[in-house]
Amino acid sequence: MGQPQKPIAAEQQILSLGRVLQSLREEDDVDVLIETTISYLKEEFDYRLIWIALYDRLNHILFGKGGITPDRDTSFLHQRVVLSPGDLLEQVVIEQHPLGIADLQTEIRAAEWRKIAEKLQIQGTIILPIRYKDRCLGLLLLGSDRWGFLLTGEAKARLMMVLGELGALLYQHEMHKQQKQTKRSDEPLLELLENLRPLTNLNQRLEAGVQATHKFISPNRTNVYWFDREGRYFWCRMSNQLVKSDRNSSNQQAPGMTVQDLSDFYYALAVNQIVSIGDARSSLKSHFTAKLLQRLKVRSLLAAPIIWQKNLLGFLAVESNEPRIWTETDKNFVQSVASLISLVTPTESMESTIKQIQEDAQLTGQVAQGIYSEQDLHETLHICAKRVLARLTATRFLLLQYDSEQNNYQFIYQSQPHNRRPLTFTLNPLKELDVQLLQRSTEAVEIENLDEDLRFFNWRPFLLESGVRSLLICKCTQSHIPAALLVITHETHRSWTTLEKDLLWAVSQQIGVIVRQWQLHNRTTQQQKTSQAFEQCLNILTKTQNSNEVEKKHLEHTALEQIASILGCPLALLLSWSPGENLAEIIPGVIDNSQFGIFSDASIPIQSEALIQWALVTENYLTLKVDNLPTETRKWLNTPDKGQILVMALRTNADYEITGVVLLADYQERRWSQQNLNAIATLISQLAWWRRQKQINRLLESTTEELRQLNWYKHRRLEEIQRITALSLKQIHDLGIPANELTQMRYQLLLRQLDHTATSMSGMLKLENWQLHISWETMPIASLLKRSLERIENLLHKQKLWIGVHGLGQPIDEQESPKNSSLVRGVPSSSAQSAMAIAGDIVKIELVIHELLVTACNRSPIGGRIDIWCRRLDGSKPSEAKQSSASVGAEHQTSLELSITYNGAIESQLLTELHQNTLKDVLAPSKLDQPPALHLLICQNLMLELGGELNFYQLPDNRVVSRLLLPLVSHDS
């Protein structure tokens, strides 16, 4: 099948569209393009109202270019329409999308067109943008007398093709027009450069720049404003309406302005930014824009800064009394002229600048010479401050140093006029942003207006209250936190030149050498102070005449003073107690501040006092704020709320008792140096050892005194008993021997026993007056055990105890020992007694065995059992025996192991303390301080002196063993 034939009307529309597009492409005149488009719309579309307008984007205005109306009155179609917010026409211009209106007569957002629609009976309306590359070039309005009349798809496509072609042609025409209208700025600039070359006076050069700028841009007024740093204001130095001007001129037409009034304008110029204010456009904030225009009495302004070596000298301004859009060419030309002026400005003051540089070099040289000579550092700073203040016309010269302990900045030197008082406050540490600012800075940091500048914010209240309004800050040393700062202040808002800031920077780096010398001097002084404190404290602690409690507390008080002097603390005290006590006593050391109060009579419970417990669980010193103290502590310790406390326990050894806590306090938070903290930790540790030594000495002296008294008393009593016994024996001998044979035999037996007792007592009184005498005897172990058991016979009967002896051979006949028959088993007869004999001080060994048997009886339950095990150990040697002169000198000797076992209760702590290798704290409360444990310790130590051993331990079946190791008589003896 063939292609269907197209309707004749469609062919006609295509042909008409092609003709109009061809006509548009071949035409260059804008008015002919618009007429061609209107004719096409009139022929091809059924609309009674057609209006085309071109858009001025700079002024936001539509210019009517014609159209058709029902009454053929087209005068209003050529009017200028100012777009306003909310208008339908502005909506299409901004959004660049077609807009359909069902009834234009009822549309309230098109006030003027609403009246026209009512007059011409227009209802359905379409508004289309004429655009190219997202740029609106104009509008097309089509109006119909029918309600809601809209375009069909085919008609809309043809219309958009025509409008697209028209938009492209209008865009090309506008670009061509802009290129023709663009002014060339290179030729005027080259001409200005040639005109500046022969001129030698700065005012003549300024005049040439102003005239060239005024001629090229054609504003109402062209001015050069000059900046006065001390007064911090701009004054009109040159104008196209004045040949020449100065700051004191009374007929100045262009007004001056202060930086205080227009800070944003000033700061924009200071960072080399051009300021442009035109019709509805501004590079500044609206508030400052209105203020600046009102101050200069203009409607438009273009200002370019004049800068030399980072210093703002002034600015070139072109001013217009009407709203004006400044082109890029205008901005570039003004900026170029301002740069040319900045290049020719320094030549006028070249000689004065060279002279000033020479004076600055002389100043820095004198400062350096003062530092490295024998001149006093304060005198050097005085001369330096005087000259710097005069050179920079400043008010105050401040040298600050960071105190790490106080965590603030303090004035270590300051200079000011005679009618100004020195600053007495301290400054808080810098915020992190300010610290980073100083660390990165390679020149002086300038603050022209302290009231508005937010840098160094936490210093502002103090400085403003002291009359400071502007300042320069330099770091003197390189450190994480700037340790030293040099600050120059002024009482008015002002700025400084780069040359002045470079001078202050050079001076500050030299002053850093002074600060480092001071730091070394202070460090040396502190080390000397610490050394003196060590020496005095050690001298105090080595004194031995403090035998009484009053002298001891006095020396502790003096030692606390030396410890507090290292940290400079106004409060130092000692919480002291003795081992086993529950309450601590306050020993005051230093109270140098009325803000502190101590209730010295308070009894402080050790277990519930937080400061004591915190110190006990801390291995070294502990620092804390007063805010962290509980209420109970505040009852006896009154300190300022912002204070700081250091506590440290008197610790000597991990196994030794702690007998006190040192407390140091300050009225404010401080960061003590690690060197000082280590020093006081050493002194406190030394104090702990000294106190422990003194306590041990007092304990030993007290114990020695008691034992001497006891020994004197018992010795004198034994002398009296010996005297009476000897007298009784003499009397018995004087009476004679009884006649009865049996009585005589018993009499002689008792008499021999009394003689033996008296003889042994005489020997003891003679040889063991103030020390033990080790004798050398031998005795069969069976005889020794038999005598020991006879001594505890009553105790065995009383507690119904059964006792057995094992390891000695044949048991004893019941007839030979009728008294022990029911209680003792296993002791051999006299014929077997010579099998094993022990050697040594038999009397003392017998006393030891007796003590062990008594302890076993007392700890055994009623009706219990006690076993004595004897075992011969060949070739053994006591591990820690201290052999006396009477003991066997062989390297290896035969020993007897005598073990006493019983089912009794014994404390595990007592067994631990009786162990020979256990470290004992003589000041700690112990069961070995009192009988019966004390008796066991004495026996244990005595056996070491006698060449044997005594150990105590517990078997897995809970039986208690007293193991005694005794030397046996060898076969060669």
Side-chain angles (χ1 to χ4, degrees):
M1 296 178 62
Q3 295 293 333
Q5 297 293 325
K6 293 184 179 180
I8 299 300
E11 292 179 355
Q12 193 66 30
Q13 291 174 356
I14 294 297
L15 292 174
S16 178
L17 176 62
R19 285 194 299 270
V20 70
L21 292 177
Q22 185 66 26
S23 300
L24 292 175
R25 294 189 187 101
E26 294 176 354
E27 188 57 54
D28 294 332
D29 189 87
V30 175
D31 293 333
V32 176
L33 290 174
I34 292 175
E35 289 177 1
T36 303
T37 304
I38 293 174
S39 298
Y40 173 76
L41 294 175
K42 181 179 179 181
E43 294 175 2
E44 297 296 327
F45 297 93
D46 186 16
Y47 284 96
R48 300 182 63 193
L49 175 63
I50 300 175
W51 179 59
I52 292 180
L54 298 182
Y55 174 60
D56 183 0
R57 65 184 182 86
L58 295 179
N59 298 308
H60 203 47
I61 297 174
L62 290 174
F63 293 95
K65 303 300 289 185
I68 62 172
T69 60
D71 57 0
R72 296 185 179 182
D73 181 12
T74 61
S75 59
F76 69 91
L77 298 180
H78 294 274
Q79 294 180 357
R80 187 179 71 170
V81 179
V82 179
L83 299 177
S84 58
D87 195 346
L88 287 178
L89 299 180
E90 186 192 47
Q91 179 181 344
V92 176
V93 168
I94 294 175
E95 296 181 357
Q96 298 186 27
H97 291 293
L99 179 65
I101 305 169
D103 188 355
L104 186 59
Q105 299 179 22
T106 60
E107 183 57 57
I108 61 176
R109 295 180 296 168
E112 296 296 331
W113 284 99
R114 179 181 178 185
K115 297 177 182 179
I116 296 173
E118 291 176 351
K119 178 182 177 182
L120 301 178
Q121 298 298 315
I122 300 299
Q123 289 187 332
T125 304
I126 298 176
I127 305 175
L128 301 100
I130 302 173
R131 55 188 295 271
Y132 181 76
K133 291 184 178 180
D134 295 330
R135 182 171 177 177
C136 184
L137 302 170
L139 292 180
L140 169 63
L141 186 145
L142 301 175
S144 173
D145 57 354
R146 288 178 288 178
W147 186 92
F149 184 76
L150 300 175
L151 289 171
T152 61
E154 183 182 357
K156 183 177 180 181
R158 290 186 286 117
L159 179 59
M160 297 305 295
M161 291 176 66
V162 174
L163 293 181
E165 187 68 25
L166 177 62
L169 295 173
L170 291 175
Y171 178 78
Q172 293 177 3
H173 183 268
E174 183 175 345
M175 292 295 102
H176 180 69
K177 182 179 179 182
Q178 287 183 1
Q179 291 176 0
K180 289 178 64 178
Q181 292 179 349
T182 301
K183 295 181 285 187
R184 295 179 60 85
S185 61
D186 51 352
E187 294 180 0
L189 286 175
L190 289 174
E191 182 181 356
L192 174 60
L193 190 58
E194 288 295 328
N195 295 335
L196 289 174
R197 183 175 299 169
L199 301 176
T200 57
N201 185 276
L202 179 59
N203 287 329
Q204 294 176 351
R205 294 171 176 174
L206 294 179
E207 181 183 356
V210 167
Q211 295 298 339
T213 304
H214 192 79
K215 179 180 178 181
F216 182 82
I217 299 179
S218 301
N220 294 99
R221 189 167 62 243
T222 303
N223 300 319
V224 171
Y225 290 88
W226 218 246
F227 180 53
D228 186 283
R229 291 190 173 275
E230 294 187 15
R232 209 162 178 259
Y233 67 91
F234 293 96
W235 58 282
C236 184
R237 181 166 183 172
M238 186 60 63
S239 174
N240 69 300
Q241 300 175 359
L242 293 171
V243 176
K244 175 177 147 180
S245 178
D246 57 47
R247 71 188 72 186
N248 299 320
S249 176
S250 60
N251 58 352
Q252 234 174 264
Q253 296 183 9
M257 67 192 80
T258 63
V259 174
Q260 185 72 17
D261 295 334
L262 301 169
S263 57
D264 272 24
F265 176 67
Y266 166 73
Y267 290 130
L269 295 176
V271 294
N272 200 17
Q273 289 183 1
I274 189 170
V275 176
S276 173
I277 301 176
D279 187 13
R281 285 175 173 80
S282 175
S283 60
L284 300 177
K285 296 180 181 178
S286 59
H287 169 68
F288 290 99
T289 298
K291 195 173 183 179
L292 179 61
L293 295 179
Q294 182 181 3
R295 185 73 181 84
L296 296 176
K297 299 179 181 179
V298 296
R299 298 285 299 278
S300 302
L301 173 69
L302 187 61
I306 302 172
I307 293 179
W308 173 252
Q309 291 184 342
K310 300 181 182 180
N311 296 319
L312 180 64
L313 305 179
F315 64 93
L316 172 64
V318 291
E319 306 165 4
S320 178
N321 295 330
E322 298 295 331
R324 179 168 174 174
I325 300 298
W326 305 107
T327 65
E328 290 298 323
T329 304
D330 297 337
K331 297 178 182 177
N332 292 335
F333 189 86
V334 173
Q335 195 168 20
S336 299
V337 174
S339 299
L340 287 175
I341 294 175
S342 68
L343 290 176
V344 299
T345 298
T347 58
E348 183 189 36
S349 58
M350 187 67 70
E351 293 183 1
S352 61
T353 303
I354 294 174
K355 182 179 179 181
Q356 192 63 67
I357 292 175
Q358 291 175 347
E359 292 178 355
D360 293 346
Q362 183 181 6
L363 171 60
T364 55
Q366 289 175 347
V367 174
Q369 183 180 2
I371 292 173
Y372 295 104
S373 65
E374 298 297 331
Q375 188 176 1
D376 181 70
L377 295 180
H378 278 275
E379 182 65 22
T380 301
L381 285 177
H382 175 72
I383 298 174
C384 174
K386 183 178 179 181
R387 295 184 177 179
V388 168
L389 291 179
R391 168 69 176 86
L392 302 183
T393 61
T395 307
R396 294 182 183 272
F397 180 98
L398 306 173
L399 184 57
L400 291 82
Q401 186 175 15
Y402 177 70
D403 188 339
S404 59
E405 293 189 2
Q406 304 289 345
N407 193 27
N408 58 21
Y409 279 92
Q410 299 179 359
F411 298 105
I412 58 176
Y413 182 82
Q414 52 182 313
S415 178
Q416 60 281 323
H418 296 293
N419 58 349
R420 300 290 188 273
R421 294 182 178 179
L423 304 180
T424 57
F425 51 82
T426 58
L427 294 172
N428 297 326
L430 293 172
K431 300 295 184 182
E432 185 62 28
L433 290 177
D434 297 327
V435 171
Q436 294 176 3
L437 171 66
L438 289 174
Q439 288 176 344
R440 295 192 301 265
S441 65
T442 56
E443 62 179 8
V445 178
E446 180 183 23
I447 296 182
E448 300 179 17
N449 186 351
L450 189 61
D451 297 295
E452 298 178 356
D453 205 312
L454 297 181
R455 291 175 294 177
F456 305 98
F457 186 79
N458 53 339
W459 287 6
R460 291 175 69 246
F462 303 98
L463 297 177
L464 289 174
E465 187 178 352
S466 302
V468 177
R469 292 298 178 269
S470 57
L471 52 93
L472 289 175
I473 301 181
C474 292
K475 62 180 180 181
C476 300
T477 56
Q478 301 288 339
S479 57
H480 175 65
I481 298 177
L485 298 175
L486 177 60
V487 182
I488 302 298
T489 71
H490 202 277
E491 294 182 345
T492 60
H493 302 145
R494 63 159 295 180
S495 61
W496 286 270
T497 65
T498 302
L499 189 61
E500 291 171 334
K501 289 187 283 188
D502 290 343
L503 168 65
L504 187 65
W505 178 262
V507 171
S508 69
Q509 300 311 297
Q510 293 178 344
I511 290 179
V513 179
I514 297 179
V515 174
R516 282 189 287 272
Q517 288 180 351
W518 274 350
Q519 290 175 344
L520 292 175
H521 175 72
N522 293 335
R523 189 175 303 170
T524 303
T525 303
Q526 182 63 39
Q527 290 176 350
Q528 291 176 351
K529 184 178 178 181
T530 303
S531 177
Q532 289 177 351
F534 264 89
E535 183 179 356
Q536 295 178 10
C537 196
L538 292 177
N539 288 337
I540 293 168
L541 300 183
T542 53
K543 291 183 178 179
T544 57
Q545 65 269 26
N546 55 330
S547 57
N548 56 54
E549 192 68 21
V550 176
E551 286 190 29
K552 171 180 169 293
K553 290 185 177 181
H554 172 71
L555 294 179
E556 289 175 342
H557 169 82
T558 309
L560 289 174
E561 288 181 344
Q562 298 301 324
I563 293 173
S565 67
I566 295 178
L567 295 182
C569 291
L571 175 66
L573 57 89
L574 173 64
L575 301 176
S576 174
W577 65 87
S578 297
E581 292 183 350
N582 297 321
L583 298 177
E585 175 190 5
I586 299 177
I587 299 178
V590 179
I591 303 179
D592 289 342
N593 198 303
S594 59
Q595 301 182 47
F596 295 96
I598 302 296
F599 183 44
S600 56
D601 295 334
S603 295
I604 303 172
I606 298 173
Q607 297 299 326
S608 60
E609 174 51 50
L611 277 179
I612 295 178
Q613 293 302 316
W614 291 341
L616 294 181
V617 298
T618 305
E619 184 175 354
N620 207 338
Y621 53 81
L622 172 68
T623 59
L624 64 154
K625 297 180 180 179
V626 174
D627 297 339
N628 299 328
L629 295 181
T631 306
E632 293 299 322
T633 302
R634 295 260 188 150
K635 291 181 179 179
W636 61 269
L637 178 62
N638 182 23
T639 58
D641 293 335
K642 295 183 179 180
Q644 182 169 294
I645 288 178
L646 182 144
V647 291
M648 181 174 176
L650 295 179
R651 181 178 283 104
T652 54
N653 186 290
D655 297 319
Y656 290 167
E657 289 286 318
I658 296 176
T659 60
V661 170
V662 173
L663 184 147
L664 304 173
D666 204 344
Y667 54 85
Q668 61 182 354
E669 184 179 355
R670 296 178 58 184
R671 296 181 179 179
W672 292 301
S673 66
Q674 190 62 43
Q675 181 181 1
N676 290 342
L677 289 174
N678 293 338
I680 67 152
T682 303
L683 287 180
I684 291 175
S685 177
Q686 188 65 33
L687 176 62
W689 281 105
W690 175 81
R691 278 173 51 88
R692 173 178 172 78
Q693 186 62 39
K694 295 306 175 185
Q695 289 173 341
I696 292 175
N697 289 345
R698 287 201 310 274
L699 176 63
L700 296 179
E701 288 173 0
S702 175
T703 305
T704 302
E705 185 65 25
E706 292 176 358
L707 292 178
R708 285 174 177 175
Q709 294 174 1
L710 180 62
N711 185 62
W712 173 83
Y713 167 72
K714 290 187 174 182
H715 199 78
R716 290 295 180 259
R717 288 286 295 171
L718 285 174
E719 286 180 347
E720 180 63 19
I721 295 173
Q722 191 269 344
R723 186 186 66 83
I724 296 175
T725 303
L727 182 59
S728 300
L729 283 173
K730 182 178 180 300
Q731 293 175 354
I732 292 174
H733 283 292
D734 292 341
L735 290 176
I737 301 174
N740 188 299
E741 184 179 354
L742 179 60
T743 304
Q744 182 182 1
M745 184 180 61
R746 294 184 62 86
Y747 175 82
Q748 289 178 346
L749 180 61
L750 292 174
L751 191 58
R752 282 197 301 271
Q753 290 179 353
L754 285 175
D755 285 335
H756 179 71
T757 302
T759 302
S760 63
M761 195 177 300
S762 299
M764 182 189 69
L765 291 173
K766 180 179 179 181
L767 298 176
E768 298 183 307
N769 188 0
W770 289 105
Q771 60 183 4
L772 292 177
H773 174 72
I774 306 300
S775 62
W776 176 255
E777 304 173 83
T778 60
M779 176 177 283
I781 184 61
S783 302
L784 182 61
L785 288 178
K786 183 182 297 184
R787 288 170 52 175
S788 298
L789 292 176
E790 289 176 354
R791 295 180 62 179
I792 62 169
E793 182 181 357
N794 293 334
L795 191 56
L796 294 174
H797 281 285
K798 181 180 179 181
Q799 294 190 223
K800 301 179 180 179
L801 297 174
W802 189 92
I803 188 167
V805 180
H806 312 280
L808 292 182
Q810 182 67 31
I812 300 174
D813 293 336
E814 294 182 4
Q815 288 81 3
E816 295 184 11
S817 183
K819 297 179 181 179
N820 299 347
S821 59
S822 62
L823 298 175
V824 181
R825 297 290 186 270
V827 180
S829 62
S830 58
S831 61
Q833 289 179 5
S834 61
M836 287 189 294
I838 62 173
D841 196 324
I842 301 301
V843 175
K844 294 179 177 60
I845 294 176
E846 182 180 355
L847 290 175
V848 170
I849 295 175
H850 172 73
E851 188 68 37
L852 296 178
L853 291 174
V854 170
T855 301
C857 293
N858 291 333
R859 291 183 178 272
S860 297
I862 296 176
R865 174 191 175 102
I866 298 175
D867 291 295
I868 301 176
W869 302 86
C870 298
R871 184 161 66 101
R872 184 188 186 95
L873 300 178
D874 293 330
S876 64
K877 182 180 180 181
S879 61
E880 297 183 9
K882 298 181 181 179
Q883 298 182 357
S884 64
S885 59
S887 60
V888 179
E891 182 178 356
H892 296 282
Q893 63 183 27
T894 304
S895 301
L896 172 68
E897 182 187 60
L898 179 66
S899 300
I900 302 174
T901 61
Y902 57 93
N903 289 309
I906 190 170
E907 299 83 351
S908 59
Q909 181 183 356
L910 177 59
L911 291 176
T912 303
E913 293 178 353
L914 286 173
H915 195 276
Q916 290 182 357
N917 296 326
T918 302
L919 186 63
K920 300 180 180 65
D921 184 2
V922 297
L923 296 177
S926 172
K927 294 182 177 296
L928 301 180
D929 295 337
Q930 300 293 331
L934 177 60
H935 296 165
L936 297 179
L937 179 63
I938 293 173
C939 292
Q940 192 176 52
N941 295 331
L942 182 59
M943 287 308 304
L944 290 176
E945 295 291 334
L946 297 177
E949 284 187 11
L950 176 58
N951 296 308
F952 303 91
Y953 55 93
Q954 195 167 19
L955 297 176
D957 59 0
N958 294 327
R959 284 186 300 164
V960 180
V961 178
S962 300
R963 180 177 178 271
L964 187 63
L965 199 62
L966 300 173
L968 283 176
V969 177
S970 62
H971 298 292
D972 299 334
S973 299

